Amino acid sequence: MRATSTDLRNWTFDPDFFVTPGVEHYGNLHWLDPHAFWNEEAGCYWLAVTATEKDGLLHRSSCTHIMTSPDLNEWTHSKKLYAPRMFDSQECHDFFKIGDKWYMIFSNLTRWWETRYRMADSPDGPWITPSFDDMFDGRAFYAAKTVTDAERHYLVGWQGIRMNMDDNAKYQWGGSVLVHELVQRPDGTLGVMLVPAVEQSFDRSLVLDPEVHLGEWSGTTRIKAIVPYGFGWQELVQLPQHALLQVDIDWEPGTGAFGWMLHTGGDKLEQWCQVRIEPERGRLLFDRSNKFHDDYHYIEERPISLKAGEPACSSKTVKRSLRMWRSGEMLG
């Protein structure tokens, strides 16, 4: 259906406008999340609609249907643009072009609650899945759409929150607005980075006061750790309620894992949240303590390409206490 506005604040519902589902060619399950955009190559408007294939496989029938219009008033069913037969929901589409590449963003709620993308040289496809990583952010970053000021592109979605703001409760549908800046890499793939204005808002440096608890550590600003086997850690600083962590890291070949602990507590380090990098396995993990007995919370995992001897830079908005650890033993 449709509503119109001249100022984006006051809207008038149009009772005579209605785009009917294409049940002749599509299933009667989804017909939602229309995304209209001007396709210069086709010389008309395209409307991307979340639909389902007729007689498709259960939970694998979601597809992208395209309708066309010369004026945003009269719409014609055109074609099934993309049907990977991987998702039950392939929704919240967004199409845009950067340079000579076209991109299609969509979300899927039946696996992780995730936002993924595909890329192509033409809006007609073929739509390619990036080989290394086709996902933005992590679990529960959802329904992301793009906006641009003609110079930068931003990805705006929501990060799911848990019921009653309890970390032990289930995720709720919806959450807090989360904004990333989109970055196009030299090979055409996309990544995200912290919005520069957010980074610039942190303008006061904290002085580190390292306190070694386990393992061999040295240095106060350029810190070195030697932990041949297992786990070692030291406390670095007490953080204010909101802080930005910026770290240059390097490691020796064979290092199993290293990272940072936040929200730590207890005399025996009973509680912690952990940002863990495993360079040999090419992954970044967000982990937490207390995964015992009936508490089976997931570990958030994202791919990352790192090589020993090539310094890497990491930044993450964090809260409260920061402690650093390193493991010299490959994790089994």
Side-chain angles (χ1 to χ4, degrees), residues 23 32 58 66 82 111 168 220 230 251 294 315:
V23 292
L32 62 140
L58 184 65
I66 295 297
Y82 185 65
R111 301 208 307 181
N168 294 312
T220 56
W251 60 96
D294 295 328
S315 64

Short mmCIF file of all heavy atoms in Angstrom, two decimals, residues 23 32 58 66 82 111 168 220 230 251 294 315:
data_model
loop_
_atom_site.label_atom_id
_atom_site.label_comp_id
_atom_site.label_asym_id
_atom_site.label_seq_id
_atom_site.Cartn_x
_atom_site.Cartn_y
_atom_site.Cartn_z
N VAL A 23 0.27 -14.18 -6.96
CA VAL A 23 0.05 -15.58 -6.58
C VAL A 23 0.02 -16.51 -7.78
O VAL A 23 0.08 -17.74 -7.62
CB VAL A 23 -1.26 -15.71 -5.77
CG1 VAL A 23 -1.12 -15.03 -4.42
CG2 VAL A 23 -2.44 -15.13 -6.55
N LEU A 32 6.00 -8.82 1.08
CA LEU A 32 6.25 -7.76 2.04
C LEU A 32 7.55 -7.02 1.75
O LEU A 32 8.29 -7.37 0.84
CB LEU A 32 6.32 -8.34 3.46
CG LEU A 32 7.43 -9.36 3.74
CD1 LEU A 32 8.02 -9.13 5.11
CD2 LEU A 32 6.89 -10.77 3.64
N LEU A 58 10.39 -26.32 1.99
CA LEU A 58 10.04 -25.73 3.28
C LEU A 58 11.24 -25.00 3.85
O LEU A 58 12.34 -25.54 3.95
CB LEU A 58 9.57 -26.82 4.25
CG LEU A 58 9.08 -26.33 5.62
CD1 LEU A 58 7.81 -25.50 5.46
CD2 LEU A 58 8.83 -27.52 6.55
N ILE A 66 10.83 -8.77 -8.64
CA ILE A 66 10.95 -7.40 -9.14
C ILE A 66 9.68 -7.01 -9.88
O ILE A 66 9.20 -7.74 -10.75
CB ILE A 66 12.17 -7.25 -10.07
CG1 ILE A 66 13.47 -7.49 -9.29
CG2 ILE A 66 12.18 -5.88 -10.73
CD1 ILE A 66 13.73 -6.48 -8.19
N TYR A 82 16.25 -13.14 -7.65
CA TYR A 82 17.24 -13.87 -6.86
C TYR A 82 16.53 -14.89 -5.97
O TYR A 82 15.63 -14.54 -5.20
CB TYR A 82 18.04 -12.90 -5.99
CG TYR A 82 19.17 -13.54 -5.22
CD1 TYR A 82 20.25 -14.10 -5.87
CD2 TYR A 82 19.16 -13.57 -3.82
CE1 TYR A 82 21.30 -14.69 -5.17
CE2 TYR A 82 20.20 -14.14 -3.11
CZ TYR A 82 21.27 -14.70 -3.79
OH TYR A 82 22.29 -15.29 -3.09
N ARG A 111 17.85 -18.00 10.72
CA ARG A 111 19.12 -18.62 11.09
C ARG A 111 19.71 -17.88 12.28
O ARG A 111 19.63 -18.34 13.41
CB ARG A 111 20.08 -18.60 9.89
CG ARG A 111 19.53 -19.34 8.66
CD ARG A 111 20.60 -19.90 7.78
NE ARG A 111 21.58 -18.91 7.39
CZ ARG A 111 22.61 -19.18 6.59
NH1 ARG A 111 22.79 -20.39 6.13
NH2 ARG A 111 23.46 -18.22 6.27
N ASN A 168 20.62 -12.85 30.41
CA ASN A 168 20.31 -14.27 30.44
C ASN A 168 18.96 -14.59 29.80
O ASN A 168 18.58 -15.75 29.69
CB ASN A 168 20.29 -14.78 31.88
CG ASN A 168 21.67 -14.74 32.51
OD1 ASN A 168 22.65 -15.18 31.91
ND2 ASN A 168 21.77 -14.19 33.71
N THR A 220 54.26 -0.70 29.74
CA THR A 220 53.07 0.00 30.25
C THR A 220 52.19 0.55 29.13
O THR A 220 50.98 0.62 29.27
CB THR A 220 53.49 1.17 31.16
OG1 THR A 220 54.38 2.04 30.43
CG2 THR A 220 54.19 0.66 32.41
N GLY A 230 48.70 -22.19 27.61
CA GLY A 230 47.50 -21.86 28.37
C GLY A 230 47.19 -20.38 28.40
O GLY A 230 47.28 -19.68 27.41
N TRP A 251 51.73 -10.21 16.86
CA TRP A 251 51.90 -11.47 17.57
C TRP A 251 52.87 -12.36 16.81
O TRP A 251 53.15 -12.16 15.64
CB TRP A 251 50.55 -12.18 17.71
CG TRP A 251 49.90 -12.49 16.39
CD1 TRP A 251 49.96 -13.65 15.69
CD2 TRP A 251 49.13 -11.59 15.60
NE1 TRP A 251 49.30 -13.54 14.50
CE2 TRP A 251 48.77 -12.28 14.42
CE3 TRP A 251 48.71 -10.27 15.76
CZ2 TRP A 251 48.01 -11.69 13.42
CZ3 TRP A 251 47.95 -9.68 14.76
CH2 TRP A 251 47.60 -10.39 13.61
N ASP A 294 23.08 -25.09 33.03
CA ASP A 294 21.95 -24.80 32.15
C ASP A 294 22.15 -23.53 31.32
O ASP A 294 21.23 -23.09 30.63
CB ASP A 294 20.66 -24.66 32.98
CG ASP A 294 20.29 -25.98 33.65
OD1 ASP A 294 20.58 -27.03 33.05
OD2 ASP A 294 19.71 -25.95 34.74
N SER A 315 39.37 -1.55 17.06
CA SER A 315 38.68 -0.58 17.93
C SER A 315 37.30 -1.11 18.25
O SER A 315 36.63 -1.70 17.42
CB SER A 315 38.57 0.78 17.25
OG SER A 315 37.77 0.70 16.11
#
